[in-house]
Amino acid sequence: MTAERISAKFEACRSEGRAAFVAYLMAGDPDLDTSFECLKALAASGADIIELGAPFTDPMADGPAIQRAAQRSLAAGGSLSSTLDVAARFRLEDKVTPLIVMGYANPIFSMGLTNFAERAAAAGVDGVITVDLPPEEDASLREALAAHGLAVIRLATPTTTEARMKRVSDGAAGFVYYVSVAGVTGAAVGAEEDIREGVERARRLSGLPVAVGFGVRTGEQAARFACLADGVVVGSALVEEVRAAVEDGAPKSAVKRITVVAQSLSNAISSARIVRSMT
Amino acid sequence: MSRANAWSQWPDANGRFGEFGGRYVAETLMPLVLELEQEYARAKEDPAFQAEFDDLLTHYVGRPSPMYFAERLTEHFGGARIYFKRDELNHTGAHKINNCIGQVLLARRMGKTRIIAETGAGQHGVATATICARFGLPCVVFMGETDVERQKPNVFRMRLLGAEIVPVSSGTGTLKDAMNEALRDWVTNVSTTFYVIGTAAGPHPYPMLVRDFQSVIGREAREQILAAEGRLPDALVACIGGGSNAIGLFHPFLEDEGVRMIGVEAGGHGVNTGQHAASLTGGRPGVLHGNRTYLLQDQNGQIIDAHSISAGLDYPGIGPEHAFLHETGRAEYRTCTDTEALEAFQLCARLEGILPALEPAHALARVGEIARELGPDGLIVMNMCGRGDKDVFSIAAHLGVNI
Ligand SMILES: Cc1ncc(COP(=O)(O)O)c(C=O)c1O
């Protein structure tokens, strides 16, 4: 059962006394082949879990960095279908790194839930995050994915109260993605105390590992969150490396750039708790 | 389910009109959307809320708007008798203000201190800026860059009213992009900010509450046409952007089986060209901006940019209740091209001395054929939902006139 790949990974990180490094990239950005190479580079540079963005024309929960990534991907012919193709290529070479597809509802509904679930399962995807499907609207997707053992990853945010967290927990699987700040991806990070409280509430009520994301850019921020949560998600900062490569006129250099940034984030996250316990 | 409330029972508890509607928003917004639903339920039962709403509609907006017999157009088309419901005479020049008053009163009840809105033609932005000035609330309006250009008079009006305009350059810089940006702002400032959505779309409860606030149009129209003609009309006609003026006119007549309802979508360069804004005629169901509805989209579920000469209709979706009325067959939807709308605009100016906005000019372009279909015994009410002052510059440009 593939959702188990997610729990196994969090379990492994826990036993190593560290948080998981969850890395986000947009599929097909700047083109399919380069993004495939970038995924392999991420896994080789210490990413424990990979979130693979599926491009959408109207990413209303995303800030400028991921909006532009989606536009680059779409311009190069990216789609949900090609996202699953990249996932499948990655899975042929890497059997252990959990793969989460993250995107918006419309391309999934357009593909058809059953079709999407079958293809995602065949591609070796482990879970799906759909930003615009709150618990009230995700039942049909959960059902379709559950038939193949895939998890729907739920989101919790600073506006998620205790009562609301119970609703979010009911049916949650894999892990809970805690959005550090009320805002779009790539925004400024929230206050540490609020995040600690939100993460603990999410963990207590869901019984699942909790990864924190939105706005984590630097190793220093990643290290702070690694002390509060079971996983740290970095997206915009990685995606901006792809942009820089494209703007340099050397799109293939994205692989190298991603490697450098991912290694430093991975080191920061791995050593965070040791460093903190020493100071 | 008794026949009498078969149509007005919608939406259901999940915010659905049949399979359309719902609440497809980021988790950050969910608590707020649920709170808004509860607060609106309380406001509806509160006589003080209703009284304040009605008082502003009467003394600030100038309601009821007249029901006008368009005698010369009736003669010109040689068919059914044609009436205009004259919401273009409202303060700020369109129906949009009915809804803005309702939503800003709700925002005040909820203790929100900052208002945001999206706008296409600028009419909703102007109406929101107006009410915000009236209540001393800061107002930020998101507007696509393309629309900022083609609706300059309204941009200036909003600034005069004290609103901040944020031009949006993503996508094609039109209404859908402005709505994305407004949603991004809302999610970022969720505790202080109320999002005043300008049409009967978005996550539940917006389609319902916008409809309810706009239904004053249909309630007045029903009374007025009964007084003028002693009977209900055979057909109601309204243009469709997101569908708020149309649903406002239609809704109070939904139980009247003999009353046909005809919505007119923007056909742009023609539905067969792919450059249009006719989501029902040329789209298929999907999820965008908080609701499940008909959308213009490609085979991969990516949203296709709409095209219309009218900034207010230039949107790739439609309110979920229209999707439902379309699928159930209760209402019919036709289209009108850019060129037809321009012709209707000029015809109305010359025959009735009324400059319609380009949006209702779309409705008017179909009124002639509907009048002939119904014949001289027929009776039509068309929603003249906005005036054309805002469009004179862009119409001059289309006609090749330098002013
Ligand atoms: C005068 C006028 N009519 C119609 C519309 C379209 O909106 P709706 O379909 O919600 O009435 C607009 C939108 O800006 C408008 O300004």
Side-chain angles (χ1 to χ4, degrees), chain B residues 63-326:
Chain B
R63 302 207 72 93
S65 68
M67 180 67 84
Y68 165 74
F69 176 50
E71 190 176 350
R72 295 195 64 213
L73 272 171
T74 299
E75 248 172 52
H76 176 82
F77 290 128
R81 292 165 69 76
I82 299 162
Y83 279 80
F84 289 162
K85 176 61 174 162
R86 298 201 56 192
D87 258 51
E88 103 275 17
L89 295 176
N90 292 343
H91 181 39
T92 70
H95 67 292
K96 296 283 177 186
I97 196 159
N98 304 325
N99 165 50
C100 292
I101 292 179
Q103 288 197 47
V104 169
L105 291 182
L106 277 177
R108 279 161 54 86
R109 276 179 78 96
M110 294 172 78
K112 300 294 177 190
T113 54
R114 176 175 175 266
I115 301 292
I116 59 170
E118 87 294 340
T119 198
Q123 288 304 107
H124 174 60
V126 166
T128 308
T130 297
I131 304 302
C132 286
R134 165 69 182 73
F135 285 103
L137 288 164
C139 176
V140 178
V141 179
F142 295 89
M143 188 168 189
E145 263 179 7
T146 311
D147 292 340
V148 169
E149 194 48 41
R150 61 179 163 174
Q151 303 287 331
K152 276 185 193 148
N154 271 346
V155 173
F156 186 56
R157 283 164 82 196
M158 286 185 271
R159 293 207 168 109
L160 288 174
L161 291 160
E164 179 194 336
I165 315 301
V166 181
V168 177
S169 58
S170 57
T172 40
T174 60
L175 188 51
K176 104 179 152 75
D177 310 296
M179 196 148 180
N180 289 335
E181 213 50 42
L183 284 163
R184 291 182 187 118
D185 180 294
W186 194 24
V187 93
T188 307
N189 300 293
V190 64
S191 61
T192 57
T193 297
F194 190 100
Y195 180 14
V196 176
I197 296 183
T199 192
H204 179 65
Y206 280 99
M208 170 178 78
L209 61 89
V210 174
R211 173 199 74 198
D212 291 352
F213 295 141
Q214 291 293 4
S215 288
V216 64
I217 301 172
R219 283 196 306 273
E220 288 173 7
R222 206 169 183 287
E223 250 177 54
Q224 291 166 320
I225 199 71
L226 283 173
E229 293 277 338
R231 70 175 185 98
L232 292 173
D234 299 300
L236 305 171
V237 186
C239 66
I240 306 267
S244 71
N245 87 85
I247 203 71
L249 177 65
F250 294 176
H251 197 259
F253 292 91
L254 279 177
E255 318 298 352
D256 301 310
E257 277 183 41
V259 180
R260 281 168 65 189
M261 303 180 178
I262 302 165
V264 182
E265 299 190 286
H269 298 317
V271 174
N272 54 347
T273 66
Q275 288 185 300
H276 59 84
S279 343
L280 288 177
T281 311
R284 62 189 170 92
V287 168
L288 182 70
H289 294 155
N291 54 176
R292 182 176 165 77
T293 188
Y294 274 70
L295 301 171
L296 302 182
Q297 54 182 315
D298 69 11
Q299 76 283 1
N300 291 320
Q302 305 295 344
I303 305 304
I304 296 173
D305 289 312
H307 164 80
S308 170
I309 189 175
S310 148
L313 307 182
D314 206 346
Y315 180 70
I318 182 167
E321 194 160 10
H322 286 291
F324 175 67
L325 295 177
H326 169 67

Side-chain angles (χ1 to χ4, degrees), chain A residues 55-60 62 67 74 106 109-110 131-137 155 157 159 164 168 182-184, chain B residues 16 22-28 30-31 34 176 180 184 187-188 190 284 286-288 295 297 299-303:
Chain A
F56 183 48
T57 39
D58 293 79
M60 54 261 175
D62 284 301
Q67 286 175 44
L74 290 169
N106 200 55
F109 284 129
S110 177
V131 185
D132 50 354
L133 286 185
E136 280 78 356
E137 304 290 357
L155 297 144
T157 79
T159 61
R164 178 78 196 155
V168 169
V184 293
Chain B
R16 298 216 168 240
R23 309 178 187 95
Y24 295 86
V25 293
E27 177 59 27
T28 311
M30 261 324 275
L34 295 171
K176 104 179 152 75
N180 289 335
R184 291 182 187 118
V187 93
T188 307
V190 64
R284 62 189 170 92
V287 168
L288 182 70
L295 301 171
Q297 54 182 315
Q299 76 283 1
N300 291 320
Q302 305 295 344
I303 305 304

